[in-house]
Amino acid sequence: MDAKDKIIFQQLDVIRTMTENNLRRVGEDFWGAPKPALPAKDAPIKDAPKKDASGKGAQTGDSPSALGAPSQPQASAASEQPQPPPETIEDLKAELDSYVGLDNIKQEVKSLINMVTVYNLRKQHELPTLDMSLHMVFTGNPGTGKTMVARLMARIYKCLGILQQGQLIEVDRGGLVAGYVGQTAIKTGEAIKKALGGVLFIDEAYALNGGGESDFGQEAIDTLLKAMEDHRDDLIVIVAGYDHLMEKFIHSNPGLESRFNRYLHFKDYTTQEMMQIFAFQCKKGFYKLGEHALDAVKRYIEAENQSGITFGNARGVRNIFENVLVQQNNRLAGMDSITKQDLMTITEQDVYRAWGMPPPDREASGQDVESAGPDRAHELHGDEPV
């Protein structure tokens, strides 16, 4: 193998490593995602590659130097590690209950779980059942939890036996529509193929109904409707977007109206709920709010949330949290010595600097730490669940 081949194989190895790292991050959202199960302490450790007489590592069937050569069947890495136990419907309900806000969504999802459970029981007892339409329309502003709940629904459907795989494939107009005649059906078909056995989640689905002679969105809709009919037992489609735009989109096509009859509306978060989301971020990152920082965060959120749509609900809270951390890092960088407590504490000054507002001069106003009242940081990171 010459030097050029070595460089190519090194590049392939780097690309593989980056891809694996990116896949591990898939599913992360503002509220966090479950960490992958760690192997048991007594799990067998894979033997290191043996060296040949020349001292070089022996080639294996999946090594770069064996590309193009027949390889011996090998057990996959996944089969060598203990698999986590399958999720139960009670576990998924508990996760749903742990989400901030979404009271009406939680009730709708639980009703849906009950409906599917009874449907399965009737089938087991050979009783007649009505066809269920599990395709759904999610409406609401950005950052209200639509994608998060769609991921959970895919797992719920798998747990209930409706879907085989339970994966969620997320696309928008760009993931379905191509720029030339005939290509849109192929592109949409590829997305559908990836989603078989799981959920196809189409964000901003109203953009498919662009109209105009040169628009191929209708071709994507037609391909989607046919797939929903052909794969009734192994494909569920969830479309999402703004309220009035999604209503117009669904009513623009009789096929869409007949297949999407289950609507879930995601309300904007209240200030208190957004404070809880901020608290979750603090708890997850092992941060705590110092004196007066809690009130500063609340004022910051209220000021930025004057326009709920542009602020983006939970998405806006995440941006605020990241802005605050930038200012905390800047403050810590100027300190001569930094303790663990310093690394964990977010101050009132950090919040105001992130907001772009001058922090209050408490000495001039006669307020000091003692007279300002007890630290209310426990409201964010105390024992009560977020």
Side-chain angles (χ1 to χ4, degrees), residues 27-193:
E28 289 291 339
D29 50 42
F30 313 137
W31 298 263
K35 295 183 179 179
L38 296 175
K41 292 182 179 179
D42 56 350
I45 301 175
K46 296 175 64 178
D47 292 335
K50 296 181 179 179
K51 295 184 178 180
D52 56 20
S54 65
K56 297 180 179 179
Q59 293 181 1
T60 60
D62 57 353
S63 65
S65 55
L67 291 176
S71 59
Q72 297 297 325
Q74 297 185 9
S76 65
S79 63
E80 297 177 4
Q81 296 183 0
Q83 298 297 314
E87 294 180 305
T88 68
I89 199 63
E90 294 305 321
D91 293 336
L92 296 173
K93 283 182 178 179
E95 181 177 334
L96 176 66
D97 288 334
S98 72
Y99 294 160
V100 174
L102 303 175
D103 292 340
N104 62 315
I105 300 300
K106 292 174 182 177
Q107 186 60 46
E108 290 286 344
V109 171
K110 290 177 182 178
S111 295
L112 184 60
I113 291 173
N114 294 337
M115 183 188 74
V116 175
T117 301
V118 173
Y119 174 87
N120 289 335
L121 288 172
R122 289 185 64 88
K123 287 184 65 177
Q124 291 174 14
H125 289 82
E126 299 181 350
L127 293 171
T129 56
L130 298 176
D131 288 339
M132 290 189 303
S133 177
L134 299 178
H135 308 296
M136 291 182 286
V137 181
F138 286 2
T139 63
N141 290 326
T144 49
K146 297 187 292 294
T147 305
M148 176 185 65
V149 172
R151 292 192 189 109
L152 181 66
M153 291 307 307
R155 293 159 56 199
I156 287 174
Y157 284 144
K158 178 185 178 182
C159 185
L160 293 173
I162 300 298
L163 296 173
Q164 292 295 319
Q165 303 298 327
Q167 79 279 19
L168 182 129
I169 303 299
E170 183 179 356
V171 296
D172 55 13
R173 175 187 167 90
L176 301 176
V177 178
Y180 300 96
V181 176
Q183 290 185 338
T184 292
I186 297 174
K187 194 171 186 179
T188 302
E190 290 174 349
I192 292 169
K193 184 177 179 180

Side-chain angles (χ1 to χ4, degrees), residues 230-373:
D230 295 344
H231 301 281
R232 299 178 67 178
D233 296 330
D234 59 352
L235 176 67
I236 290 176
V237 179
I238 299 177
V239 292
Y242 294 107
D243 293 349
H244 63 288
L245 293 176
M246 287 305 299
E247 184 177 354
K248 182 179 179 181
F249 167 69
I250 296 297
H251 295 320
S252 68
N253 187 306
L256 293 172
E257 280 187 307
S258 63
R259 288 170 176 82
F260 291 97
N261 57 10
R262 194 172 301 280
Y263 288 75
L264 274 69
H265 174 65
F266 290 71
K267 300 177 181 178
D268 287 341
Y269 285 101
T270 65
T271 299
Q272 183 58 35
E273 288 169 345
M274 286 188 281
M275 290 288 290
Q276 288 181 304
I277 294 171
F278 189 94
F280 184 89
Q281 295 288 347
C282 289
K283 184 177 181 180
K284 187 170 65 173
F286 290 91
Y287 290 98
K288 63 180 183 179
L289 295 175
E291 191 73 32
H292 305 296
L294 176 66
D295 289 332
V297 169
K298 183 178 180 181
R299 294 191 185 100
Y300 189 1
I301 290 176
E302 288 176 337
E304 294 296 306
N305 193 37
Q306 293 299 316
S307 174
I309 296 178
T310 57
F311 178 64
N313 288 281
R315 191 172 303 165
V317 174
R318 184 192 66 174
N319 291 337
I320 283 179
F321 181 73
E322 292 176 352
N323 292 341
V324 170
L325 291 190
V326 168
Q327 296 304 320
Q328 187 225 32
N329 295 339
N330 291 339
R331 175 175 56 81
L332 294 177
M335 296 172 59
D336 294 332
S337 62
I338 302 175
T339 66
K340 181 179 178 180
Q341 189 75 6
D342 294 330
L343 293 171
M344 296 172 59
T345 302
I346 294 173
T347 68
E348 179 186 34
Q349 288 73 20
D350 297 334
V351 178
Y352 274 100
R353 290 192 181 102
W355 186 6
M357 300 288 288
D361 186 352
R362 300 199 176 278
E363 291 185 2
S365 63
Q367 272 191 313
D368 55 24
V369 173
E370 298 298 330
S371 63

